Each structure stands twice: as C-alpha cells, then as structure tokens.
Amino acid sequence: MGEYRVRVTQDSASRWRRRAGEYETLAEAVAAAEPGDTLTLRAGTFRENVLLDKAVELRPADGPGSVRISPPGGVPLTVTAAARVHGLVIEGGETTAPAVLITGPDATAELTGCRVETAAAVGIELTDRAEAVLRGCTVHNPSGLGVRLRSGAVLLAEDTELASSAQAGLAVLDGASARLTNCRVHHAGGAGVLLAEQGSSAELTGCEIYEIRGSGVQAESQATGRLTDCEIHRVTGNGLTLDTGAELTLTGCRVHDLPENAADLRRGSRLHLEKSILQDFGRGALSVWEPGTRAEAVASEIHSSSSDFPAVWVCAGAELTLTDCSLHDLRDALSVLDQGSRVTARDCSFSRIGSSAVSVSGGATVALADCRIQEAGTGLWFRDHGSGGQLTGCEISEVSTGVIVTKGADPELSDCTVRGAVEAAVYVFAQGRGSFTDCRVSHGKGFGFYVLDGCRTALTRCRAEQNEQAGFEFSEPGPVTEGCVSDDVAPAAPELPAPRTAQLTTAAAPVAAAIAPIPDCRPADEALAELESLIGLATVKQEVRTLIDLISVGRRRRQAGLKAPSLRRHLVFTGSPGTGKTTVARLYGEILASLGVLQQGHLVEVARVDLVGEHIGSTAIRTQAAFDRARGGVLFIDEAYALAPEDGARDFGREAIDTLVKLMEDHRDEVVVIVAGYTAEMERFLSANPGVSSRFSRTVTFPDYTAAELLEIARSQCAEHEYALAGATEGALLEHFAGLERGPGFGNGRTARQVFETMVERHAMRVAQLADPSTEELQLLVPADLPVPPPRVGLTM
C-alpha cells in the first residue's frame, strides 16, 4: 500500500476498534469509519464522488483550501447524515446536478470554511427536510443557482458569501426556510434572494445584497421574509419585488442606488418597513398595486430621487399606512389614484418636494393627521371626482400652492394651516368642492382662499391673515362661509393702523352677465381710422373690417328681431415679428369696446413666462390671474406656440392651455383672446388641445413688409422725430431694405425703426464735427448715414 491519503481517527466510544486507520480513497475511509470518527485528508485533489451517510467529520490536514473534491462527473459531495465538513474546496461541472447535495430527514450537515467553486446546476442544494449549517463558506456558481432549498429543508448560514451565480443567489422554495446572519449575496444573474410558495420563509440579519441582475429580494406565492439591519443596493431591477400574497418585513434596513423601484408590491402582497431608508431610486420608492395589497412604513425615510415618477405610488385599490415617516428631496412624493386606493399618514413630514407632495386622483382617498409639508411646489392636489379624504391638524408652509381642489374632488380639512404660499394657500376651481373647518392661511404672497367658477366650497370658522392679496377671493357666488374672519391690510401707508377684522357673511358679488360699453371710449370710427393709417397690412385691415361689419350687422339684426350671425371673436395672428400684431390687437379691443362688445377694451399682453409656473398648480393660478386682468378687454398671448413645445410631455404649458380653454368657455362674453406667433409653430399650438382649434376658428395672417413699406415706415419715423431724408437717401434706403436677408430673425417694422435709429446715431457723429451746422444740416439724413451693410459670404473663384 502506498502512502495514505485519508486517516480515520476513532472518536467513538467503541473499545473494540483500533485507534486509527489509513486509506487511499475517501470512499474506503468512509466505509471503514463509524459515527463520530474524524477523517483527516492530506493535501491534494480527490477525483471521486463522496457520500457521507454517517455522522463523520472531514478535515484537511494542511488547513483550509488544501484539499479539493473534484470528480469527473456526478455530484461531488452528497450528505445524508449528521456530517461535518471543514475547509474543503468542492468543484463540480455537472449541469444537471448540484455540487453539494444535502438530502433526507436524517441529514443535519455542517459546513465550515468551505468553498464551492462549480459550474453546476446548483452550488448547494438542500431537499427532503434536510438541515444544514454554513459558517464562513463561499459559493461560486456562474452556471446556475447559488444555494437552493426545497421540500421543507432548513438552512442556517453565518458569515457566508453567495457570489457569481447565473441565477438566484439563494432560492427558498416549497416550504423550506433559511436564516442568514452577516452574509453577502452578490453578482447574481437572477434575484439575490428568491422566496416562493406557501410556507417558504427566510430571515436575514446584517446581510448585504448587491450587484444583482434582477431584484434584490423577490418574494411570491405567499412566501414570507424578514430582514433586519440589511442593505440592498446596486441591482438592475427592484430592490424588493413582492407578488401573489407574499409578505416581507424590514427593520433597520437600507435600500438604495436602484434603477427601478425600491419596492414593488402586487396581487395581495404585504410589506412592513420600520426604521428603514429608501433612497436614490430611479423609478419609485414604493409602488403598491391592486386590491388587498398593503404596505406599512413606521419611522422610515424616503429621499433623494430625481425620477419623474412619484416616490410613493398607490393605485388600483391598494392601501398604504405611513407613521412618523420622512419624505424629502423628491420631485413628487406621494400619488394615490384609482377608486379604493387609500393612504393613511400620521405625524409624517414632506419637505423639499419639487412638484406635488400629495396628489389624489381617480376616486382615491387619503387620511392625513398631524403631517407637515414644507418647501414643495403644491402641498396637496385633489384632482377629480370622488377624490378626497380627511386632513386633520396638518401644517403646510413655504409652498407655491397649499391645497388645490378641482374637477369634483371633495376633501375635508379641519384644524389645518397654510403659511407662506406663493400663488394661493387654498385654490378651488372647475367644480371642485371641499370642506374647510377651523383652517388658517397666512403670510402668503397671493390669495388666501381662492375659489373660482362658483364652486360650492364650505368654509367654517376659517381665518386669513397677512396675505398680500385678498384673504378670501370668490369670483362668483357659490362658496358657503360661516364664522370666517380676514385680516387684509393695505401695505401702502408707512405706518399701518391696527389690522381690521371683518366678519365674512356673504360671497363676492356676482360678475355682471350683460356687458355695456364704457362711456369714455372713443368712437369706433376713430380707432378704425388709426387702423387704416397703419402702413401696409391690407389683408389684415380687410379681415378686421369684416369682423366689425359682422358685429354691426349682428346688432341691427337683433334690433330687428332676427338671429345674429355667430361671432368668432377669438383670433389667431400669424406672421413674423414686427408686423404690427400687438398694435392691431390693441385697436381691435378698442373697436369692440366702442361697439359695446367689450366693457373696457384694454389690452393685456403676456407670454409663456407670465403664464407657466415652476410647480404643479401654479400655472393654472397664473393663467387665471392673467385672464382676470384682461376681463372686459383683450388677452394677447405672444409666441403662444411656446406653451406647446414639441417635446413637452411633462411641460406645464399644457396646463396653461387647458386652463385657458376652460376660462374662454366659462367667460365667453368677457374676454377676447388673441394668440400670436410664427405660422408653422401656431399650427402645433392649435392641435395641443381639442378645444383650442374650435375656439380659435379665425386666423389673420400678417405678411412681411415690402421694401417700399419699410421705406414708408422710415419716412414716418423721420417725420415724428423732425428729420428729413435727402432724395438720394430714399433711393439708398430702398436699396438697403431690398437687400436685407429675410430669415427667421428678420424684424420687419422693428428693423425699419432700428435702421432709422442707426442713421440718427451716424448723423450725430457726422454733424458733431461741423463747427456751426445749419438747421437743414441738423435735420437732413444723407446716404452716408445709412448702416454699413454686413459682408456677404460667397464663393471665390
């Protein structure tokens, strides 16, 4: 016999066996050993399949890693008894079998300091009610699963690493259970930890799951799991995925650096978070779907995401409870939608929210008590019919808009405060309702309670203090007030008197239905004469004359008892800059006022920057304010196409258009709206909302000025400022205007005025050199005063 490879040491109580034996193979040694014996292995590789069917212990003679079990095929190590294995390296390449198989109700294996380096179907498999303990082990299996438990098997793992698996790092299936302490699961091709089927469970303490090509933890089919002081990060899927009645509990955990959701729950699954942190997620922190699905978070924190999705998304009948939680540094914090969806929050804080802190839509409800919202675009937005809930003792501060209620939503707020709102503290419009009891709004830059469209909002014992605009602003009758007080003090006087407190007993007076002409309006003929005096614009003048004729004939037909033709008063002005669109709009308003169509005829000119806010809800308020300023006159929106950018899926300009369309319908006789811009771009604007094209059914095109018309504008500028053009100067000017490039930046009338101003400057520089210039020299503009034409870029031969 050659030198032994395995020594069997007698550790049993039998007196009839020799103390030790030496064997060439592991199979021979195991066959000769009795339960309780120790098998000591010399360094090297054993090319055999090892079956441990006795309670024996295997140890390498030269320390961990010096002995390898690497058979050409089959299962390298099978354990069916209470065996203990220390410091071995187990290698296998069987793609249809595990590298280590622990099976049977008598198997209670213990592996300490072992390394499983294999390309097998499974690194370590426990099945058929087997039990195993892994201490300080490592499993590498880039071809399959890391560790799989089935059929009621039980695993205890401590300080163990599951790495580089092609599928899940740990799979607990078919009623099996696992308990991991201070373990690492990483670089898995599937879920880091997979829990599936009723009765399957896992408990992880102090573990780290990272670099996973899938979900960090995936629980489904009524499996359960508990994680304590664990960290999940750098996965390609969700941090936690729960489905079909699964349940997870996380305590003191951190889930972060994820491209998808920190947790995604569906089909009646449940999640409980306590003292945990969800941060830096690419989609959402909590995504909770479908009836019976519930999530609960206690003393937890959700923060730091630039995602366009709400951080917490509760929909399709799911439920969420938040207690003593903090949500901050997010674009949108909490969105609740769909009938049956409900969120209950108590003693929670929402801060540094770029858009909406809480959004409720689709018939969903919320119940918020003693919550705080600070530094947000919109505090709470109740969006549509059936959406509402109860808010008690909540504080909202430093927001653009505190509470928005619209489109039939009907929340109930009691004992709540809104402080320091930029746009409005409470904004109700478009058939929104809402009940506000013992609420207080103060120190806002806009309105306190701003209720439009005759919304039936109930205000009981509410208080408005130190708001820069009115504390209570009602555009129409509808709101019901009882016991409300307001403290509105004009800021004009340097020494303010003591604030006055006025009891609110009635809503604001209704807006008059009939509009009469103002008595001091100049006659239509004078405004028409000014229009006719404008240079060029022949087609524009004809369009305006046609509109005026329709209005005049319509009035006479009504006086005769006949139906008047339908008036299309809202206009689209298309054309290049500097073609007189603003001037014509001003004159059009004056003419309509003189004919009794408008009450005042004044012009309010706005652009995108005046209508579009930075936060959800603020755009509607700004658009409403601009519309209110224009009541009785003309609202002129320059470059209106900027409200509908080509790539503006989330652009707030759409909100301005939607608000404008509704206001034009609700107040059709009070304001004329004119939108202006380039021809092609205005076609995009007209298609932005189905109601836009129907309300702007008449387009007036402003053509570019000809060279002769530009010369005429220059002549009028000279006459107005007491200059004169020499005969040669007029010819040179005509040639100059004819040679100008007419690209997108061409300014038409503005260009003519700029040329005149340049000539005046060059004239001044020339005449300043004369010792005693004559009156004629002080007035006359000569060809030398023309601007130097820009060099033309051409081809050189």
Side-chain angles (χ1 to χ4, degrees), residues 45-51 69-78 90-101 118-121:
T45 301
F46 289 81
R47 303 289 184 183
E48 56 182 299
N49 301 95
V50 178
L51 170 61
I69 298 177
S70 182
V75 180
L77 176 63
T78 301
I90 302 161
E91 299 176 343
E94 187 66 60
T95 57
T96 60
V100 177
L101 175 61
T118 181

Side-chain angles (χ1 to χ4, degrees), residues 596-653:
V597 177
L598 291 175
Q599 187 177 20
Q600 292 177 292
H602 64 293
L603 181 75
V604 174
E605 183 177 1
V606 296
R608 173 187 167 91
V609 68
D610 304 300
L611 303 179
V612 178
E614 299 177 356
H615 310 290
I616 290 179
S618 61
T619 295
I621 294 176
R622 291 188 181 188
T623 305
Q624 173 78 56
F627 193 90
D628 287 344
R629 293 197 306 273
R631 288 200 186 205
V634 175
L635 179 63
F636 182 80
I637 306 176
D638 197 16
E639 297 182 351
Y641 53 82
L643 299 175
E646 292 179 308
D647 57 348
R650 286 184 55 90
D651 188 82
F652 293 146

Side-chain angles (χ1 to χ4, degrees), residues 711 714 725-726 728-737 754-763 766 781-789:
L711 176 59
L725 294 175
T729 307
E730 290 195 359
L733 256 179
L734 184 63
E735 183 179 352
H736 176 82
F737 288 136
Q754 289 172 345
V755 168
F756 169 73
E757 291 168 358
T758 301
M759 294 179 69
V760 169
E761 292 173 359
R762 292 174 63 85
H763 167 269
R766 177 174 56 80
L781 300 175
V782 302
D785 296 328
L786 264 68
V788 177

Side-chain angles (χ1 to χ4, degrees), residues 527-610:
L528 279 169
E530 184 177 341
L531 176 66
E532 291 294 338
S533 70
L534 297 177
I535 296 169
L537 304 178
T539 58
V540 175
K541 295 171 184 176
Q542 182 58 47
E543 287 280 359
V544 174
R545 281 195 297 267
T546 299
L547 288 170
I548 301 308
D549 290 344
L550 281 171
I551 293 170
S552 298
V553 172
R555 294 180 65 188
R556 293 182 181 181
R557 285 178 62 86
R558 281 194 298 271
Q559 291 171 358
L562 302 173
K563 289 185 178 180
S566 176
L567 291 179
R568 296 177 292 174
R569 303 184 305 169
H570 306 301
L571 304 176
V572 179
F573 284 1
T574 64
S576 303
T579 49
K581 294 187 289 295
T582 305
T583 300
V584 173
R586 177 180 56 79
L587 293 172
Y588 181 54
E590 278 195 64
I591 294 168
L592 293 182
S594 67
L595 295 175
V597 177
L598 291 175
Q599 187 177 20
Q600 292 177 292
H602 64 293
L603 181 75
V604 174
E605 183 177 1
V606 296
R608 173 187 167 91
V609 68
D610 304 300

